């Protein structure tokens, strides 16, 4: 407050004219605080087991479910050529069951995709893989469902994290660079870190979905991955959107358990949380996930001609970086790298 009082003496018209620093593009660029770089973006990719051709995703115009063949290779090759350095994989398996067993099958869709991409692109690409069970369970919950009497159920924490650990080890054996647990079970990072260490993969990076909120903005993703819960919802494990400070508890726990990168998700709706986490843990790389619903919302307005495509996308990503995110997972990754040179 003292410094604000002082500054109010300093900054007065006509001595100060903020417009001087906005007068042309070179000046604006010189004093710009926030940058976007291709290295900051992670592109989400859906891989589906039982198809041969890419399948357009209705809820995510411009996005596809990819088959595990030369089609995905061409796509990733284009990404790399455009400057994208990393992808995060989501699997859509042929077989789903109560326990999500396809998730930790060493010949599962993600395990095979990791090997395929690593064989083809080696160190030109960072391969990340989401670790969760909701795409693999027939009920669509992120863990093992225990039925209680009178029709109630719980998603059982401690048996679920064992399966996440098992999944993460099979990803590591396939050559993954980064595992990203997204199920919001307590102790999931610890279980994965211990299992990776025991299996000899102490260099695998863990990017923890630390502050992942129960959000309606995951809707288009769940349609894409056929992973919506068949009963109930995810509010007993994902965070309550009414809570900001609780994010710090989740972040502290994940750092203690061995996370290298923490995440806030969704992004545009939780810019305050991004700022809070970055201010409290400036030394920990922070990711933000601009989720499917955020993409769909922007895309719909763009397709209707209500928003300018380049300007709206760039502004949304700048906002996420300005709030404090170091890296951004976004379905716009591929498009946006083409615009970066045009920022003025
Ligand atoms: C899996 C997972 C989800 C997302 C990322 N990992 C779906 C969910 O939690 O229901 C959402 C990503 C998006 O909406 O783009 N747990
Ligand atoms: Zn899940």
């Amino acid at each position: 407050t003292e410094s604000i009082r002082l500054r109010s003496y300093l900054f007065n018209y006509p001595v100060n004219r903020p417009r001087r620093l906005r007068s042309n593009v070179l000046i604006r660029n010189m004093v710009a605080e926030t940058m976007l770089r291709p290295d900051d973006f992670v592109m989400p990719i859906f891989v589906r087991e039982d198809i041969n051709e890419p399948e357009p995703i209705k809820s995510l115009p411009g996005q596809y479910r990819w088959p595990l063949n030369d089609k995905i290779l061409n796509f990733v090759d284009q990404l790399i050529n455009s400057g994208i350095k990393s992808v995060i994989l989501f699997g859509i398996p042929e077989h789903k069951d109560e326990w999500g067993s396809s998730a930790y099958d060493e010949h599962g869709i993600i395990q095979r995709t990791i090997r395929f991409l690593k064989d083809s692109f080696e160190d030109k690409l960072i391969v990340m893989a989401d670790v969760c069970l909701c795409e693999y369970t027939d009920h669509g919950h992120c863990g093992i469902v225990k039925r209680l009497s009178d029709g109630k159920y719980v998603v059982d924490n401690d048996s679920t994290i064992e399966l996440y650990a098992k999944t993460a080890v099979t990803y590591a054996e396939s050559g993954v660079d980064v595992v990203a647990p997204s199920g919001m079970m307590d102790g999931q990072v610890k279980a994965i870190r211990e299992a990776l260490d025991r299996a000899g993969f102490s260099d695998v990076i863990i990017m923890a979905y630390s502050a992942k909120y129960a959000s309606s903005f995951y809707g288009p993703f769940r349609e894409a991955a056929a992973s919506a819960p068949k009963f109930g919802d995810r509010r007993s494990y994902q965070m309550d959107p009414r809570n900001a400070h609780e994010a710090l508890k989740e972040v502290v726990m994940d750092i203690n358990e061995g996370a290298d990168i923490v995440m806030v998700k969704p992004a545009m709706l939780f810019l305050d949380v991004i700022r809070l986490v970055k201010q409290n843990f400036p030394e920990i790389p922070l990711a933000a996930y601009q989720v499917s619903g955020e993409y769909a919302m922007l895309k719909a307005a763009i397709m209707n001609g209500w928003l300018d495509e380049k300007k709206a996308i760039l502004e949304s990503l700048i906002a996420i970086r300005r709030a404090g995110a170091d890296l951004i997972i976004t379905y716009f990754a591929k498009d946006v790298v083409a615009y970066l040179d045009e920022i003025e």
Side-chain angles (χ1 to χ4, degrees), residues 170-250:
T170 63
Y171 291 173
E173 284 165 349
S174 309
V176 84
D177 298 297
V178 180
V179 291
S182 67
M184 289 302 282
M185 297 295 129
D186 296 338
Q188 60 185 10
V189 172
K190 179 169 194 258
I192 289 172
R193 178 57 77 206
E194 284 177 0
L196 288 173
D197 282 351
R198 255 185 276 121
F201 296 108
S202 54
D203 289 338
V204 169
I205 293 165
I206 299 178
M207 176 171 74
Y209 285 71
S210 304
K212 175 173 176 178
Y213 286 88
S215 171
S216 60
F217 285 75
Y218 307 151
F221 173 104
R222 292 178 191 167
E223 192 185 317
S227 65
K230 297 265 156 59
F231 49 87
D233 56 44
R234 304 209 201 291
R235 284 180 296 175
S236 74
Y237 41 105
Q238 297 179 346
M239 282 179 63
D240 186 330
R242 291 173 293 190
N243 297 349
H245 299 100
E246 190 188 359
L248 297 176
K249 185 203 298 184
E250 291 282 0

Coordinates of all heavy atoms in Angstrom, one line a residue, residues 170-250:
T170 N 4.5 -49.9 -17.3 CA 4.5 -50.4 -18.7 C 4.7 -49.3 -19.7 O 5.3 -49.6 -20.8 CB 3.1 -51.1 -19.0 OG1 2.1 -50.1 -18.9 CG2 2.8 -52.3 -18.1
Y171 N 4.3 -48.1 -19.4 CA 4.6 -47.0 -20.3 C 6.1 -46.7 -20.3 O 6.7 -46.5 -21.3 CB 3.9 -45.7 -19.8 CG 2.4 -45.7 -20.0 CD1 1.6 -44.7 -19.5 CD2 1.7 -46.7 -20.7 CE1 0.2 -44.7 -19.7 CE2 0.3 -46.7 -20.9 CZ -0.4 -45.7 -20.3 OH -1.8 -45.7 -20.5
A172 N 6.7 -46.8 -19.1 CA 8.2 -46.6 -19.0 C 8.9 -47.6 -19.8 O 9.9 -47.3 -20.5 CB 8.6 -46.5 -17.5
E173 N 8.5 -48.9 -19.7 CA 9.1 -50.0 -20.4 C 9.0 -49.8 -21.9 O 9.9 -50.2 -22.7 CB 8.5 -51.3 -20.0 CG 8.9 -51.8 -18.6 CD 8.0 -52.9 -18.1 OE1 7.0 -53.2 -18.7 OE2 8.4 -53.5 -17.1
S174 N 8.0 -49.1 -22.3 CA 7.8 -48.8 -23.8 C 8.6 -47.6 -24.2 O 8.7 -47.3 -25.4 CB 6.3 -48.5 -24.0 OG 5.5 -49.6 -23.5
G175 N 9.2 -46.8 -23.3 CA 10.0 -45.7 -23.7 C 9.5 -44.3 -23.4 O 10.0 -43.4 -24.0
V176 N 8.4 -44.2 -22.7 CA 7.8 -42.9 -22.5 C 8.8 -41.9 -21.8 O 9.6 -42.4 -21.0 CB 6.5 -43.1 -21.7 CG1 6.7 -43.1 -20.1 CG2 5.5 -42.0 -22.0
D177 N 8.6 -40.7 -22.1 CA 9.5 -39.6 -21.4 C 8.8 -39.1 -20.2 O 9.4 -38.8 -19.2 CB 9.7 -38.5 -22.4 CG 10.5 -38.9 -23.6 OD1 11.6 -39.4 -23.5 OD2 9.9 -38.8 -24.7
V178 N 7.5 -38.9 -20.3 CA 6.7 -38.3 -19.2 C 5.4 -39.1 -18.9 O 4.7 -39.3 -19.9 CB 6.3 -36.8 -19.5 CG1 5.6 -36.2 -18.4 CG2 7.6 -36.0 -19.9
V179 N 5.2 -39.4 -17.7 CA 3.8 -40.0 -17.3 C 3.0 -38.9 -16.6 O 3.6 -38.2 -15.8 CB 3.9 -41.3 -16.5 CG1 4.5 -42.4 -17.3 CG2 4.7 -41.1 -15.2
A180 N 1.7 -38.9 -16.9 CA 0.9 -37.8 -16.4 C -0.3 -38.4 -15.7 O -1.4 -38.6 -16.4 CB 0.5 -36.8 -17.5
P181 N -0.2 -38.6 -14.4 CA -1.4 -39.2 -13.7 C -2.5 -38.2 -13.5 O -2.3 -37.1 -13.0 CB -0.8 -39.6 -12.3 CG 0.4 -38.9 -12.1 CD 0.9 -38.6 -13.5
S182 N -3.7 -38.5 -14.0 CA -4.8 -37.6 -14.1 C -6.0 -38.0 -13.3 O -7.1 -37.4 -13.3 CB -5.2 -37.3 -15.5 OG -5.8 -38.5 -16.1
G183 N -5.9 -39.1 -12.5 CA -7.1 -39.7 -11.9 C -7.5 -39.0 -10.6 O -8.6 -39.3 -10.0
M184 N -6.7 -38.1 -10.0 CA -7.0 -37.4 -8.8 C -7.2 -38.4 -7.6 O -8.0 -38.1 -6.7 CB -8.1 -36.5 -8.9 CG -7.8 -35.3 -9.8 SD -6.4 -34.2 -9.1 CE -7.2 -33.4 -7.8
M185 N -6.5 -39.5 -7.6 CA -6.5 -40.4 -6.4 C -5.4 -39.9 -5.4 O -4.3 -39.4 -5.9 CB -6.2 -41.8 -6.8 CG -7.2 -42.5 -7.7 SD -8.9 -42.7 -6.9 CE -9.9 -41.9 -8.2
D186 N -5.6 -40.0 -4.1 CA -4.6 -39.6 -3.2 C -3.4 -40.5 -3.3 O -3.6 -41.7 -3.4 CB -5.2 -39.6 -1.7 CG -6.3 -38.6 -1.5 OD1 -6.3 -37.6 -2.3 OD2 -7.1 -38.8 -0.6
G187 N -2.2 -40.0 -3.2 CA -1.0 -40.8 -3.2 C -0.7 -41.4 -4.6 O 0.2 -42.2 -4.6
Q188 N -1.3 -41.0 -5.6 CA -1.0 -41.6 -6.9 C 0.4 -41.3 -7.4 O 1.1 -42.1 -8.0 CB -2.0 -41.1 -8.0 CG -2.1 -39.6 -8.3 CD -3.2 -39.2 -9.2 OE1 -4.1 -40.0 -9.6 NE2 -3.2 -38.0 -9.7
V189 N 0.9 -40.1 -7.1 CA 2.3 -39.8 -7.5 C 3.3 -40.6 -6.8 O 4.2 -41.2 -7.4 CB 2.6 -38.2 -7.3 CG1 4.0 -37.9 -7.6 CG2 1.7 -37.4 -8.3
K190 N 3.1 -40.8 -5.5 CA 4.0 -41.6 -4.6 C 4.0 -43.0 -5.2 O 5.1 -43.6 -5.3 CB 3.5 -41.6 -3.2 CG 4.4 -42.4 -2.2 CD 4.0 -42.1 -0.8 CE 5.0 -42.6 0.2 NZ 4.5 -43.8 0.9
A191 N 2.8 -43.6 -5.4 CA 2.7 -45.0 -5.9 C 3.5 -45.1 -7.2 O 4.2 -46.1 -7.4 CB 1.3 -45.4 -6.0
I192 N 3.3 -44.2 -8.1 CA 4.0 -44.3 -9.4 C 5.5 -44.1 -9.3 O 6.3 -44.8 -9.8 CB 3.3 -43.2 -10.4 CG1 1.9 -43.6 -10.7 CG2 4.2 -43.0 -11.6 CD1 1.1 -42.6 -11.5
R193 N 5.9 -43.1 -8.5 CA 7.3 -42.8 -8.3 C 8.0 -44.0 -7.7 O 9.1 -44.4 -8.2 CB 7.5 -41.6 -7.5 CG 9.0 -41.2 -7.2 CD 9.8 -41.0 -8.5 NE 9.6 -39.7 -9.1 CZ 9.8 -39.5 -10.4 NH1 10.2 -40.5 -11.2 NH2 9.5 -38.3 -11.0
E194 N 7.4 -44.6 -6.7 CA 8.0 -45.8 -6.1 C 8.1 -47.0 -7.0 O 9.2 -47.6 -7.1 CB 7.3 -46.2 -4.8 CG 7.5 -45.3 -3.6 CD 6.7 -45.7 -2.4 OE1 5.9 -46.6 -2.4 OE2 6.9 -45.0 -1.4
A195 N 7.1 -47.2 -7.8 CA 7.1 -48.3 -8.7 C 8.1 -48.1 -9.9 O 8.8 -49.0 -10.3 CB 5.7 -48.5 -9.3
L196 N 8.2 -46.8 -10.3 CA 9.2 -46.5 -11.4 C 10.6 -46.7 -10.9 O 11.4 -47.3 -11.6 CB 9.0 -45.1 -11.9 CG 7.8 -44.8 -12.7 CD1 7.7 -43.3 -13.0 CD2 7.8 -45.5 -14.1
D197 N 10.8 -46.3 -9.7 CA 12.2 -46.4 -9.1 C 12.5 -47.9 -8.9 O 13.6 -48.4 -9.3 CB 12.2 -45.7 -7.7 CG 12.4 -44.2 -7.9 OD1 12.6 -43.8 -9.0 OD2 12.3 -43.5 -6.8
R198 N 11.5 -48.7 -8.4 CA 11.8 -50.1 -8.2 C 12.1 -50.8 -9.5 O 12.9 -51.8 -9.6 CB 10.5 -50.8 -7.6 CG 10.7 -51.1 -6.1 CD 9.5 -51.9 -5.5 NE 8.5 -50.9 -5.1 CZ 7.2 -50.9 -5.6 NH1 6.8 -51.8 -6.5 NH2 6.4 -50.0 -5.2
A199 N 11.4 -50.4 -10.6 CA 11.6 -51.0 -11.9 C 12.8 -50.5 -12.7 O 13.1 -50.9 -13.8 CB 10.3 -50.9 -12.8
G200 N 13.5 -49.5 -12.1 CA 14.7 -49.0 -12.7 C 14.5 -47.8 -13.7 O 15.3 -47.5 -14.5
F201 N 13.4 -47.1 -13.5 CA 13.0 -46.0 -14.3 C 13.0 -44.7 -13.6 O 12.1 -43.9 -13.7 CB 11.7 -46.2 -15.0 CG 11.7 -47.4 -16.0 CD1 11.0 -48.6 -15.6 CD2 12.4 -47.4 -17.2 CE1 11.0 -49.7 -16.5 CE2 12.4 -48.4 -18.0 CZ 11.7 -49.6 -17.7
S202 N 14.1 -44.4 -12.8 CA 14.1 -43.2 -12.0 C 14.2 -41.9 -12.8 O 14.0 -40.8 -12.2 CB 15.2 -43.3 -10.9 OG 16.4 -43.5 -11.6
D203 N 14.5 -42.0 -14.1 CA 14.6 -40.8 -14.9 C 13.3 -40.4 -15.6 O 13.2 -39.4 -16.2 CB 15.7 -40.9 -15.9 CG 17.1 -40.9 -15.2 OD1 17.2 -40.4 -14.1 OD2 18.0 -41.4 -15.8
V204 N 12.3 -41.2 -15.4 CA 11.0 -40.9 -16.1 C 10.4 -39.7 -15.3 O 10.3 -39.7 -14.1 CB 10.0 -42.1 -16.1 CG1 8.6 -41.6 -16.5 CG2 10.6 -43.1 -17.1
I205 N 9.9 -38.7 -16.1 CA 9.4 -37.5 -15.5 C 7.9 -37.7 -15.1 O 7.2 -38.4 -15.9 CB 9.5 -36.3 -16.5 CG1 11.0 -36.0 -16.7 CG2 8.7 -35.1 -16.1 CD1 11.2 -35.1 -17.9
I206 N 7.5 -37.2 -14.0 CA 6.1 -37.3 -13.6 C 5.5 -35.8 -13.7 O 6.0 -34.9 -13.0 CB 5.8 -37.8 -12.2 CG1 6.3 -39.3 -12.1 CG2 4.3 -37.8 -11.9 CD1 6.2 -39.9 -10.7
M207 N 4.5 -35.7 -14.6 CA 3.8 -34.4 -14.7 C 2.4 -34.7 -14.0 O 1.6 -35.4 -14.6 CB 3.6 -34.0 -16.1 CG 2.7 -32.7 -16.2 SD 2.7 -32.0 -17.9 CE 1.7 -33.2 -18.8
A208 N 2.2 -34.2 -12.8 CA 1.0 -34.5 -12.1 C -0.1 -33.6 -12.4 O 0.1 -32.3 -12.3 CB 1.3 -34.5 -10.6
Y209 N -1.3 -34.1 -12.7 CA -2.5 -33.3 -12.8 C -2.9 -33.0 -11.3 O -3.7 -33.7 -10.7 CB -3.6 -34.1 -13.4 CG -3.6 -34.3 -14.9 CD1 -2.7 -35.2 -15.5 CD2 -4.6 -33.7 -15.7 CE1 -2.8 -35.5 -16.8 CE2 -4.6 -34.0 -17.1 CZ -3.7 -34.9 -17.6 OH -3.8 -35.1 -19.0
S210 N -2.2 -32.0 -10.7 CA -2.4 -31.8 -9.3 C -3.7 -31.1 -8.9 O -4.4 -31.6 -8.1 CB -1.2 -30.9 -8.8 OG 0.0 -31.5 -9.1
A211 N -4.0 -30.0 -9.5 CA -5.2 -29.3 -9.3 C -6.1 -29.5 -10.5 O -6.2 -28.6 -11.4 CB -5.0 -27.8 -9.0
K212 N -6.8 -30.6 -10.5 CA -7.7 -30.9 -11.6 C -9.1 -30.8 -11.0 O -9.5 -31.6 -10.1 CB -7.4 -32.3 -12.1 CG -8.4 -32.8 -13.2 CD -8.0 -34.1 -13.8 CE -9.1 -34.6 -14.7 NZ -8.7 -35.8 -15.4
Y213 N -9.9 -29.9 -11.6 CA -11.2 -29.6 -11.1 C -12.3 -30.5 -11.7 O -12.1 -30.8 -12.9 CB -11.5 -28.1 -11.3 CG -10.7 -27.3 -10.3 CD1 -9.4 -26.8 -10.6 CD2 -11.2 -26.9 -9.1 CE1 -8.7 -26.0 -9.7 CE2 -10.5 -26.2 -8.1 CZ -9.3 -25.7 -8.5 OH -8.5 -25.0 -7.6
A214 N -13.3 -30.7 -11.0 CA -14.5 -31.4 -11.5 C -15.2 -30.4 -12.5 O -15.8 -29.5 -12.0 CB -15.4 -31.9 -10.4
S215 N -15.1 -30.6 -13.8 CA -15.5 -29.6 -14.7 C -16.4 -30.1 -15.8 O -16.1 -31.2 -16.3 CB -14.3 -28.9 -15.3 OG -14.6 -28.1 -16.4
S216 N -17.4 -29.3 -16.2 CA -18.2 -29.7 -17.3 C -17.5 -29.5 -18.6 O -18.0 -30.0 -19.7 CB -19.5 -28.9 -17.3 OG -19.2 -27.6 -17.4
F217 N -16.4 -28.9 -18.5 CA -15.6 -28.6 -19.8 C -14.8 -29.8 -20.3 O -14.1 -29.7 -21.2 CB -14.7 -27.3 -19.6 CG -15.5 -26.1 -19.6 CD1 -16.3 -25.7 -18.5 CD2 -15.5 -25.3 -20.7 CE1 -17.1 -24.5 -18.6 CE2 -16.3 -24.1 -20.8 CZ -17.1 -23.7 -19.7
Y218 N -14.9 -30.9 -19.6 CA -14.3 -32.2 -20.1 C -15.2 -32.9 -21.1 O -14.9 -34.0 -21.6 CB -13.8 -33.1 -19.0 CG -13.0 -32.5 -17.9 CD1 -13.0 -32.9 -16.6 CD2 -12.1 -31.4 -18.2 CE1 -12.2 -32.4 -15.6 CE2 -11.3 -30.8 -17.2 CZ -11.4 -31.3 -15.9 OH -10.6 -30.7 -14.9
G219 N -16.4 -32.4 -21.2 CA -17.5 -33.1 -22.0 C -17.0 -33.5 -23.4 O -17.1 -34.7 -23.7
P220 N -16.4 -32.6 -24.2 CA -16.0 -33.1 -25.5 C -15.0 -34.1 -25.5 O -14.9 -35.0 -26.4 CB -15.5 -31.8 -26.2 CG -16.2 -30.7 -25.4 CD -16.3 -31.2 -24.0
F221 N -14.0 -34.1 -24.6 CA -13.0 -35.1 -24.4 C -13.7 -36.5 -24.1 O -13.3 -37.5 -24.7 CB -12.1 -34.8 -23.3 CG -11.1 -35.8 -22.9 CD1 -9.7 -35.7 -23.3 CD2 -11.4 -36.9 -22.2 CE1 -8.8 -36.7 -23.0 CE2 -10.5 -37.9 -21.8 CZ -9.2 -37.8 -22.2
R222 N -14.6 -36.5 -23.2 CA -15.3 -37.8 -22.9 C -16.0 -38.3 -24.0 O -16.1 -39.6 -24.2 CB -16.2 -37.6 -21.7 CG -15.4 -37.2 -20.4 CD -16.2 -37.0 -19.2 NE -15.4 -36.5 -18.1 CZ -15.9 -35.9 -17.0 NH1 -17.3 -35.9 -16.8 NH2 -15.2 -35.4 -16.1
E223 N -16.6 -37.5 -24.9 CA -17.2 -38.0 -26.1 C -16.1 -38.6 -27.0 O -16.2 -39.7 -27.6 CB -18.0 -36.9 -26.8 CG -18.8 -37.5 -27.9 CD -19.5 -36.4 -28.7 OE1 -20.0 -35.4 -28.1 OE2 -19.6 -36.5 -30.0
A224 N -15.0 -37.9 -27.2 CA -13.9 -38.3 -28.0 C -13.3 -39.7 -27.6 O -13.0 -40.5 -28.4 CB -12.8 -37.3 -28.0
A225 N -13.2 -39.8 -26.3 CA -12.5 -41.0 -25.7 C -13.6 -42.0 -25.2 O -13.1 -43.1 -24.6 CB -11.6 -40.6 -24.6
A226 N -14.8 -41.7 -25.3 CA -15.9 -42.6 -24.8 C -15.6 -43.0 -23.4 O -15.5 -44.1 -23.0 CB -16.0 -43.9 -25.7
S227 N -15.3 -42.0 -22.5 CA -14.9 -42.2 -21.2 C -15.8 -41.5 -20.1 O -15.4 -41.4 -19.0 CB -13.5 -41.7 -21.0 OG -13.4 -40.3 -21.2
A228 N -17.0 -41.2 -20.5 CA -17.9 -40.6 -19.5 C -18.3 -41.6 -18.5 O -18.6 -42.8 -18.9 CB -19.1 -39.9 -20.2
P229 N -18.4 -41.3 -17.2 CA -18.9 -42.3 -16.2 C -20.4 -42.7 -16.5 O -21.2 -41.9 -16.9 CB -18.8 -41.5 -14.9 CG -18.6 -40.1 -15.2 CD -18.1 -40.0 -16.6
K230 N -20.6 -44.0 -16.4 CA -22.0 -44.5 -16.7 C -23.0 -44.2 -15.6 O -24.2 -44.3 -15.8 CB -21.9 -46.0 -17.0 CG -21.1 -46.5 -18.1 CD -21.9 -46.7 -19.4 CE -21.1 -46.5 -20.7 NZ -20.0 -47.4 -20.8
F231 N -22.5 -44.0 -14.4 CA -23.3 -43.6 -13.3 C -22.5 -42.6 -12.4 O -21.3 -42.7 -12.4 CB -23.8 -44.8 -12.5 CG -22.6 -45.7 -12.1 CD1 -21.9 -45.5 -10.9 CD2 -22.3 -46.8 -12.9 CE1 -20.8 -46.3 -10.6 CE2 -21.2 -47.6 -12.6 CZ -20.5 -47.4 -11.4
G232 N -23.2 -41.7 -11.7 CA -22.6 -40.8 -10.8 C -21.7 -39.8 -11.6 O -21.9 -39.6 -12.8
D233 N -20.8 -39.2 -10.9 CA -19.9 -38.2 -11.5 C -18.5 -38.3 -10.8 O -18.3 -39.2 -10.0 CB -20.5 -36.8 -11.5 CG -20.8 -36.4 -10.1 OD1 -20.0 -36.6 -9.2 OD2 -21.9 -35.8 -9.8
R234 N -17.7 -37.3 -11.1 CA -16.3 -37.4 -10.6 C -16.0 -36.5 -9.4 O -14.9 -36.3 -9.0 CB -15.3 -37.1 -11.7 CG -15.4 -37.9 -13.0 CD -14.0 -38.1 -13.7 NE -14.0 -38.4 -15.1 CZ -14.4 -39.6 -15.6 NH1 -14.8 -40.5 -14.8 NH2 -14.4 -39.8 -16.9
R235 N -17.1 -36.0 -8.8 CA -16.9 -35.0 -7.8 C -16.3 -35.6 -6.5 O -15.9 -34.8 -5.6 CB -18.2 -34.2 -7.5 CG -18.5 -33.2 -8.6 CD -19.8 -32.5 -8.3 NE -20.9 -33.4 -8.3 CZ -22.2 -33.0 -8.0 NH1 -22.4 -31.8 -7.7 NH2 -23.2 -33.9 -8.1
S236 N -16.3 -36.9 -6.3 CA -15.7 -37.4 -5.1 C -14.2 -37.6 -5.2 O -13.5 -38.0 -4.3 CB -16.3 -38.8 -4.7 OG -15.9 -39.8 -5.6
Y237 N -13.7 -37.3 -6.4 CA -12.2 -37.3 -6.5 C -11.6 -36.1 -7.2 O -10.6 -35.6 -6.8 CB -11.7 -38.6 -7.2 CG -12.4 -39.2 -8.4 CD1 -11.9 -39.1 -9.6 CD2 -13.6 -40.0 -8.2 CE1 -12.6 -39.7 -10.7 CE2 -14.3 -40.6 -9.2 CZ -13.7 -40.4 -10.5 OH -14.4 -41.0 -11.6
Q238 N -12.3 -35.5 -8.2 CA -11.8 -34.2 -8.7 C -12.1 -33.1 -7.8 O -13.1 -33.1 -7.1 CB -12.3 -34.0 -10.1 CG -11.8 -35.2 -11.1 CD -12.4 -35.0 -12.5 OE1 -13.3 -34.3 -12.8 NE2 -11.8 -35.8 -13.4
M239 N -11.4 -32.0 -7.9 CA -11.6 -30.8 -7.0 C -12.8 -30.0 -7.2 O -13.3 -29.9 -8.4 CB -10.3 -29.9 -7.1 CG -9.1 -30.4 -6.4 SD -7.8 -29.2 -6.5 CE -8.4 -27.8 -5.7
D240 N -13.3 -29.5 -6.2 CA -14.5 -28.6 -6.2 C -14.1 -27.2 -6.8 O -13.2 -26.6 -6.2 CB -15.0 -28.5 -4.8 CG -16.3 -27.7 -4.7 OD1 -16.6 -26.8 -5.5 OD2 -17.1 -28.0 -3.8
P241 N -14.7 -26.8 -7.9 CA -14.3 -25.5 -8.5 C -14.5 -24.3 -7.5 O -14.0 -23.2 -7.8 CB -15.3 -25.4 -9.7 CG -15.7 -26.8 -10.0 CD -15.7 -27.5 -8.7
R242 N -15.2 -24.5 -6.4 CA -15.3 -23.4 -5.5 C -14.0 -23.1 -4.7 O -13.9 -22.1 -4.0 CB -16.5 -23.6 -4.5 CG -17.8 -23.5 -5.2 CD -19.0 -23.9 -4.4 NE -18.9 -25.4 -4.0 CZ -19.9 -26.0 -3.4 NH1 -21.0 -25.4 -3.1 NH2 -19.8 -27.3 -3.2
N243 N -13.1 -24.1 -4.7 CA -11.9 -24.0 -3.9 C -10.6 -23.6 -4.7 O -10.3 -24.3 -5.6 CB -11.6 -25.3 -3.2 CG -12.7 -25.7 -2.3 OD1 -13.6 -24.9 -2.0 ND2 -12.7 -26.9 -1.8
A244 N -10.0 -22.5 -4.3 CA -8.7 -22.1 -4.9 C -7.5 -22.6 -4.0 O -6.6 -23.2 -4.5 CB -8.7 -20.6 -5.1
H245 N -7.6 -22.3 -2.7 CA -6.4 -22.5 -1.9 C -6.1 -24.0 -1.7 O -5.0 -24.4 -1.5 CB -6.6 -21.9 -0.5 CG -6.7 -20.4 -0.6 ND1 -8.0 -19.7 -0.6 CD2 -5.8 -19.4 -0.9 CE1 -7.8 -18.4 -0.8 NE2 -6.5 -18.2 -1.0
E246 N -7.2 -24.8 -1.8 CA -7.0 -26.3 -1.7 C -6.0 -26.8 -2.8 O -5.3 -27.8 -2.6 CB -8.3 -27.0 -1.9 CG -8.3 -28.5 -1.6 CD -9.6 -29.2 -1.9 OE1 -10.5 -28.6 -2.4 OE2 -9.6 -30.4 -1.7
A247 N -5.9 -26.0 -3.9 CA -4.9 -26.4 -4.9 C -3.5 -26.5 -4.4 O -2.7 -27.3 -4.8 CB -5.0 -25.4 -6.1
L248 N -3.2 -25.6 -3.4 CA -1.9 -25.6 -2.8 C -1.6 -26.9 -2.1 O -0.5 -27.4 -2.1 CB -1.7 -24.3 -1.9 CG -1.8 -23.0 -2.6 CD1 -1.7 -21.8 -1.6 CD2 -0.7 -22.9 -3.7
K249 N -2.6 -27.4 -1.4 CA -2.4 -28.6 -0.7 C -2.1 -29.8 -1.7 O -1.2 -30.6 -1.5 CB -3.7 -29.0 0.1 CG -3.6 -30.2 0.9 CD -4.9 -30.9 1.3 CE -5.9 -30.2 2.1 NZ -7.1 -30.9 2.5
E250 N -2.9 -29.8 -2.8 CA -2.6 -30.9 -3.8 C -1.2 -30.7 -4.4 O -0.5 -31.7 -4.6 CB -3.7 -30.8 -4.9 CG -5.1 -31.2 -4.5 CD -5.3 -32.7 -4.4 OE1 -4.4 -33.4 -4.7 OE2 -6.4 -33.1 -4.0

